Amino acid sequence: MSLFSKQDNQEKDSTKKVKKSKGRNHEYVVVMYLFLAIFVGIILYYIYFMAFQRDTFINNPYNSLQNLFGEHVVRGEITDCDGNVLAKTKVGENGQETRVYPYENLFAHVVGFSTNGKSGLENVENFELLRSHEFFLEQFADQMNDEKSQGDRVVTTLDLSIQQTAYNALGSCDGAVYVMEPQTGKILAMVSKPDFNPNTIEEDWESVSGEESTALFNRATQGQYAPGSVFKMVTLLEYYREHPLDYMNYSYQCEGGITVEDQTIHCAGNKAHGQEDLKQSFANSCNASFSNIGLQLDYQKYKALTDSLLFNKDLPIDFISSQSRFALKESDNDFMVMSTAMGQGKTLVSPLHMALLASAISNDGVLMRPYLVDHTENADGIVVRTQKPSQYGSIMSKEEADFLEEYMLEVVNTGTATALGRDGYDVAGKTGTAQVSDTSDTTNSWFVGYATKEDQRTVAIAVVVERNNENGVSAVNVAKQVLDSCF
């Protein structure tokens, strides 16, 4: 082999080694940058977590580490807006702690319990109740004396007087009452029946949590009911959106029912309402007319409206709640369309959701986030955390809200809720009687609306009374008692 050939081979080998070396260096650089990117990502997430997510994580009621605070802190009080104690911890001479609920069943679902697990505010505000913001020298003295510090006090937006009235108005009926301020989102009352006594929850556990019992179920936020005629507010709004210039020309001759494809939907009691315009159809809660309206609606727009009104979505509340369901499909037959439009079909709603819709109508279309805690304070009454009203967003225009208000006022002035008129305050609302199922004659009674009085606050309310055709109690009468107490 020639000298030149040897030199060529050496150069080729050297080139190959350089290329391999560069290849390995490139791989090292890629790996280095990859690990650098991961490291930077971890740092950025840590910063984000500490800035935005730390409190949410710590305050999460499922964080079992919160209970470790109980080793050093006596669980704080829960009060209503006027300082009435709804839950407190009594400490015996032997140091044994007992959680006490002075009003027993009255606030059962909303305040909840802290034995056999936790529910209600006892669950949602668990971390706040186990924190102590006593003066640091007091906490230091407690530690030196091997004593517990006093936990913070949670002051709610609940109003004892309104809660008591709502509870009494339901009587022995199953159902729910939900009351809130539309302009702030403050929840004033939340009642659900059947109920339980949180003072005896431990000994009553088997009976209240058994398969045959629904006592622990909060119907106000978790109930899923057929809405009946209160859903006509939604159907009415959609018709208005599709006919903004000629809705006032709507006319229907009601003969007590409507028959399409051999299937008939009846008005309540088969009452023939005669010739009606749109406002009269709503005020009289005419099933035949609203079934007729349903057949004229554009399905895609109807579905889009229900989406914007929070159907099939989580509701904006820091409390366990159920989604309302709008299940009408474009392929459904005319009978299902008519049933849905007048409030039956497969639609399901909660009292909470219907009260939120009424609140938005009252508040020019703007929905405020509902909340239960006004502020948290230490044992000496010094405020350590304040809850401020916040908007969820606009779910309809002011013009649409004004339109619905006009029609809801007519329900009270001349329609199915005249029992609520002439009481010194103005009421706008909608009644409903919902059939529980297609195979049952059992009905639930509804009222959804709001009331206002000059120079006083506005309150929104949703009431459902189960099996009203058996117990004779109407949601309108329950609402009247509650609204009377508000003003």
Side-chain angles (χ1 to χ4, degrees):
M1 183 180 297
S2 68
L3 179 61
F4 293 109
S5 297
K6 287 182 180 181
Q7 288 178 342
D8 289 342
N9 288 336
Q10 287 175 353
E11 289 178 359
K12 287 180 182 179
D13 290 341
S14 177
T15 301
K16 287 181 180 179
K17 288 179 181 179
V18 170
K19 287 182 178 180
K20 285 182 180 181
S21 177
K22 288 183 178 179
R24 283 195 296 269
N25 289 340
H26 178 71
E27 292 174 355
Y28 293 151
V29 170
V30 170
V31 171
M32 181 184 71
Y33 279 118
L34 178 61
F35 276 98
L36 181 60
I38 293 173
F39 177 75
V40 171
I42 292 173
I43 295 298
L44 291 176
Y45 180 77
Y46 176 78
I47 295 172
Y48 166 77
F49 178 85
M50 295 300 290
F52 301 105
Q53 296 294 318
R54 179 183 61 177
D55 289 344
T56 301
F57 178 79
I58 294 174
N59 292 335
N60 191 313
Y62 296 103
N63 182 2
S64 60
L65 294 177
Q66 290 179 7
N67 296 324
L68 294 177
F69 287 86
E71 297 178 4
H72 308 284
V73 176
V74 176
R75 190 174 188 84
E77 295 178 346
I78 300 175
T79 75
D80 81 336
C81 61
D82 293 321
N84 297 298
V85 178
L86 312 182
K88 60 183 178 180
T89 300
K90 283 189 175 180
V91 183
E93 293 182 359
N94 60 354
Q96 183 175 351
E97 298 177 7
T98 304
R99 195 67 168 166
V100 177
Y101 303 90
Y103 294 95
E104 299 184 335
N105 300 47
L106 183 57
F107 292 91
H109 293 91
V110 61
V111 171
F113 53 83
S114 60
T115 305
N116 286 54
K118 294 180 179 64
S119 72
L121 285 169
E122 292 277 35
N123 182 40
V124 176
E125 296 298 314
N126 185 52
F127 180 63
E128 300 299 330
L129 294 166
L130 290 175
R131 297 176 75 181
S132 178
H133 283 87
E134 285 187 328
F135 187 53
F136 75 96
L137 289 179
E138 292 182 58
Q139 295 192 53
F140 180 75
D142 290 337
Q143 292 179 17
M144 292 298 98
N145 296 323
D146 196 25
E147 296 177 353
K148 292 185 176 183
S149 299
Q150 179 59 47
D152 292 342
R153 180 182 299 112
V154 170
V155 180
T156 72
T157 59
L158 296 167
D159 186 308
L160 172 61
S161 176
I162 299 174
Q163 181 85 6
Q164 184 75 68
T165 303
Y167 187 88
N168 292 341
L170 268 182
S172 60
C173 302
D174 292 347
V177 180
Y178 179 96
V179 187
M180 67 180 288
E181 287 185 354
Q183 281 72 38
T184 63
K186 289 182 179 180
I187 300 171
L188 305 177
M190 186 189 296
V191 174
S192 176
K193 290 190 176 183
D195 53 43
F196 57 91
N197 186 343
N199 290 308
T200 59
I201 192 71
E202 192 166 5
E203 49 263 47
D204 297 339
W205 186 252
E206 287 190 15
S207 62
V208 299
S209 64
E211 292 183 3
E212 301 300 319
S213 174
T214 59
L216 298 179
F217 185 72
N218 188 347
R219 284 161 160 75
T221 61
Q222 294 175 274
Q224 290 184 306
Y225 297 94
S229 294
V230 295
F231 188 76
K232 288 172 183 171
M233 295 189 299
V234 178
T235 303
L236 175 66
L237 178 56
E238 179 54 32
Y239 186 81
Y240 175 75
R241 284 188 173 184
E242 293 187 30
H243 299 83
L245 302 179
D246 64 349
Y247 68 89
M248 67 292 294
N249 297 326
Y250 175 84
S251 180
Y252 182 78
Q253 179 67 35
C254 172
E255 298 177 353
I258 183 172
T259 301
V260 175
E261 297 178 354
D262 298 326
Q263 297 206 24
T264 302
I265 288 179
H266 299 277
C267 287
N270 295 319
K271 181 178 180 179
H273 295 104
Q275 193 70 35
E276 300 175 302
D277 60 17
L278 187 62
K279 184 179 289 188
Q280 291 169 328
S281 297
F282 187 73
N284 295 329
S285 204
C286 181
N287 291 339
S289 181
F290 269 81
S291 296
N292 175 60
I293 289 171
L295 294 174
Q296 302 176 38
L297 299 180
D298 180 286
Y299 170 79
Q300 294 296 338
K301 294 179 180 179
Y302 200 14
K303 177 66 168 59
L305 172 63
T306 60
D307 288 344
S308 69
L309 297 181
L310 304 182
F311 283 81
N312 305 311
K313 294 181 180 179
D314 291 336
L315 299 178
I317 186 172
D318 294 330
F319 221 69
I320 296 176
S321 62
S322 298
Q323 289 187 354
S324 293
R325 186 177 75 186
F326 180 80
L328 183 67
K329 298 179 180 177
E330 194 165 15
S331 58
D332 283 334
N333 59 28
D334 286 344
F335 181 74
M336 184 57 68
V337 172
M338 293 190 299
S339 296
T340 301
M342 48 79 70
Q344 291 287 163
K346 301 174 184 177
T347 307
L348 295 173
V349 299
S350 67
L352 163 64
H353 189 186
M354 297 313 295
L356 294 183
L357 294 186
S359 293
I361 295 169
S362 169
N363 198 34
D364 295 336
V366 177
L367 176 62
M368 303 298 290
R369 293 182 183 275
Y371 66 98
L372 273 163
V373 176
D374 183 78
H375 66 273
T376 303
E377 59 189 30
N378 70 7
D380 296 320
I382 299 174
V383 175
V384 297
R385 181 180 70 117
T386 300
Q387 176 77 33
K388 294 182 179 180
S390 64
Q391 291 186 8
Y392 171 81
S394 178
I395 61 174
M396 65 185 72
S397 69
K398 182 182 184 303
E399 178 186 12
E400 291 168 340
D402 290 343
F403 165 77
L404 288 174
E405 179 176 76
E406 177 187 345
Y407 277 54
M408 291 166 70
L409 286 169
E410 193 68 19
V411 172
V412 177
N413 292 334
T414 66
T416 57
T418 54
L420 285 167
R422 299 175 296 280
D423 283 311
Y425 51 86
D426 297 319
V427 186
K430 185 70 189 79
T431 60
T433 302
Q435 192 171 339
V436 173
S437 69
D438 294 336
T439 58
S440 172
D441 293 329
T442 302
T443 58
N444 297 331
S445 176
W446 275 96
F447 179 78
V448 175
Y450 53 91
T452 187
K453 188 175 183 178
E454 189 176 358
D455 299 327
Q456 293 191 34
R457 65 185 175 190
T458 301
V459 295
I461 185 171
V463 178
V464 61
V465 180
E466 297 181 15
R467 300 184 298 279
N468 71 294
N469 59 326
E470 299 172 8
N471 55 46
V473 177
S474 75
V476 167
N477 288 334
V478 173
K480 184 180 186 306
Q481 294 179 59
V482 176
L483 294 176
D484 282 349
S485 73
C486 291
F487 298 102

